[in-house]
Amino acid sequence: MRTGSTLRNSICQTWNQKLPILQNKKGSIRHRLSTVILHVGLWILYASLQIVASGLQVPHLLPVVITSFSVFAFASVSFYANSEWLLPRTLEKDKTTLWIAGILVLFAYNILCRYIILYKIYPASMGSPAPNFGFAVLITGSIWWWFQAIALSTAYWFAKVSIKRERKINVQREEINRKEAEQMKLRQEKLELEVAYLRAQINPHFLFNTLGYFYNKTANSHPDVAEGIAALTNIMRSSLKKRGPDGMVSLEEEIEHIESLISIYYMRFNNNIHVEYSRPDNLVGQRILPHILITLVENAFKHGELHNAAYPLRITLNLDESGLYFYINNKKRIGPKEISNGFGMEYVQRQLENTYPKKYAFDIKDTDLFYSLSLHIATTETALHDQLLYN
């Protein structure tokens, strides 16, 4: 059951990791396609304006259309060769001389294009011989179209670089603001922890002194009450006790606190409760995550029916070669129940997952009348902590 859940979680985690990448790729393709459509539309609009202006002066429109689109097709090659290939490799890297050499090559390309348009495309579209233009006219026309392509493409490149730099600056600014906000949050959390630490130093000291006072006052006159105060004090001291380097406590100590809790409930109900409790005798050397077992027991006392001898609260702890087994079964209480926020069970499951990942089994059976849970922690985990501490 845990293997299937782990597989589903792994698949979901992998999909959640790949989904943003797929979305980014899809968004990038859509952005590039829209950019291509925009550029093609602008070139068509540019050529159309030229066609309209020239078409008013000639009787036949088709040759003008063919010639104009040829001109702009050749000009677009110079435009993108400069903005997308030449400028990023020269001017952006402070290689001005190389850029000038590149645009001179594009000038020669424009002369060739001008020659092809005037002496090949234009006569073919008009059905008449090529115009008798001199070399000066050929050069002049080439300079004009070359200058337009270079000037517009350079301006386009500078605008694109400026926008990209502005976006980069905005991203860096947002990252700085985010880090400053995180640092401010950390400082606030540090301050709150310092205040909580001071309270933790003051409150337990006052509380333990008060409990000690009540214990001394009741030791002779009400020994049962004094015994309950002592048990409660031991449980509370365990929650404040500093853990070992492995973050664990001895299993024997944890069991002692469970037994103290059971004795407190016996005194609370004047021994009018029914609990079947069993544990192994030898617990020396075993280590466990603190407050896990006692939280489960306290939850059973809080919600279980304790006064029915036919259905006692059963608490069982076993140790064998495969590990630790802990089992609780109780009949549910009928009638008003104590308010519960569910933090205890949430804490148990979170701590088990963090401390014993894939090395524990925690099962709960919740029916209309009964509630039971079983916990198994692998021997390798307890043995490891045992070796760290005692070897």
Side-chain angles (χ1 to χ4, degrees), residues 74-85:
F74 286 123
S76 66
V77 174
S78 297
F79 182 95
Y80 292 111
N82 183 47
S83 63
E84 302 297 332
W85 190 86

Side-chain angles (χ1 to χ4, degrees), residues 151-254:
L152 291 174
S153 61
T154 303
Y156 167 74
W157 177 77
F158 272 110
K160 189 169 66 171
V161 169
S162 298
I163 293 173
K164 187 182 295 184
R165 288 177 179 173
E166 184 66 25
R167 289 176 178 173
K168 185 177 180 180
I169 291 172
N170 290 335
V171 170
Q172 292 175 344
R173 187 181 295 115
E174 290 176 359
E175 182 67 16
I176 291 172
N177 292 337
R178 185 185 63 81
K179 289 182 178 180
E180 289 179 350
E182 288 180 353
Q183 290 177 355
M184 184 177 297
K185 183 179 179 181
L186 289 174
R187 287 194 294 268
Q188 180 66 25
E189 290 178 352
K190 180 181 178 182
L191 180 61
E192 292 175 356
L193 286 174
E194 290 174 352
V195 173
Y197 176 76
L198 291 175
R199 290 176 178 173
Q201 294 296 310
I202 297 172
N203 293 343
H205 181 72
F206 169 76
L207 181 60
F208 289 138
N209 284 343
T210 304
L211 289 174
Y213 168 77
F214 287 130
Y215 176 81
N216 293 329
K217 281 290 186 180
T218 58
N220 296 325
S221 58
H222 298 85
D224 53 341
V225 176
E227 182 182 347
I229 293 173
L232 176 61
T233 303
N234 288 334
I235 294 174
M236 295 185 65
R237 285 190 188 278
S238 70
S239 64
L240 300 173
K241 184 179 179 181
K242 186 176 180 180
R243 304 180 187 179
D246 58 0
M248 303 286 169
V249 297
S250 69
L251 180 58
E252 188 173 17
E253 180 181 349
E254 187 78 359

Side-chain angles (χ1 to χ4, degrees), residues 107-343:
F107 178 67
Y109 161 78
N110 272 270
I111 294 176
L112 177 62
C113 294
R114 183 75 173 171
Y115 175 81
I116 293 173
I117 291 171
L118 289 176
Y119 293 98
K120 301 296 181 181
I121 297 176
Y122 185 80
S125 62
M126 291 292 293
S128 60
N132 187 17
F133 290 135
F135 183 73
V137 175
L138 180 65
I139 296 297
T140 303
S142 299
I143 291 175
W144 169 240
W145 288 106
W146 168 81
F147 176 77
Q148 283 191 86
I150 297 301
L152 291 174
S153 61
T154 303
Y156 167 74
W157 177 77
F158 272 110
K160 189 169 66 171
V161 169
S162 298
I163 293 173
K164 187 182 295 184
R165 288 177 179 173
E166 184 66 25
R167 289 176 178 173
K168 185 177 180 180
I169 291 172
N170 290 335
V171 170
Q172 292 175 344
R173 187 181 295 115
E174 290 176 359
E175 182 67 16
I176 291 172
N177 292 337
R178 185 185 63 81
K179 289 182 178 180
E180 289 179 350
E182 288 180 353
Q183 290 177 355
M184 184 177 297
K185 183 179 179 181
L186 289 174
R187 287 194 294 268
Q188 180 66 25
E189 290 178 352
K190 180 181 178 182
L191 180 61
E192 292 175 356
L193 286 174
E194 290 174 352
V195 173
Y197 176 76
L198 291 175
R199 290 176 178 173
Q201 294 296 310
I202 297 172
N203 293 343
H205 181 72
F206 169 76
L207 181 60
F208 289 138
N209 284 343
T210 304
L211 289 174
Y213 168 77
F214 287 130
Y215 176 81
N216 293 329
K217 281 290 186 180
T218 58
N220 296 325
S221 58
H222 298 85
D224 53 341
V225 176
E227 182 182 347
I229 293 173
L232 176 61
T233 303
N234 288 334
I235 294 174
M236 295 185 65
R237 285 190 188 278
S238 70
S239 64
L240 300 173
K241 184 179 179 181
K242 186 176 180 180
R243 304 180 187 179
D246 58 0
M248 303 286 169
V249 297
S250 69
L251 180 58
E252 188 173 17
E253 180 181 349
E254 187 78 359
I255 294 302
E256 289 177 358
H257 298 147
I258 290 177
E259 292 171 352
S260 296
L261 181 65
I262 294 174
S263 66
I264 289 174
Y265 271 91
Y266 267 112
M267 286 182 283
R268 176 181 173 184
F269 293 103
N270 295 321
N271 294 323
N272 188 26
I273 60 174
H274 302 276
V275 179
E276 291 184 0
Y277 168 71
S278 63
R279 48 157 285 187
D281 294 330
N282 185 14
L283 300 175
V284 177
Q286 299 295 332
R287 312 269 297 164
I288 193 172
L289 191 67
H291 312 310
I292 295 297
L293 302 185
I294 194 171
T295 300
L296 300 177
V297 173
E298 196 274 336
N299 184 72
F301 274 112
K302 181 185 294 186
H303 302 289
E305 171 57 61
L306 308 176
H307 306 289
N308 191 335
Y311 302 103
L313 168 61
R314 291 185 173 88
I315 304 172
T316 305
L317 177 70
N318 287 320
L319 283 172
D320 59 25
E321 295 180 355
S322 65
L324 177 147
Y325 290 88
F326 189 69
Y327 176 76
I328 294 178
N329 177 269
N330 63 270
K331 187 175 184 294
K332 288 185 176 181
R333 185 181 306 166
I334 300 175
K337 299 180 180 179
E338 296 188 33
I339 298 175
S340 175
N341 51 29
F343 288 160

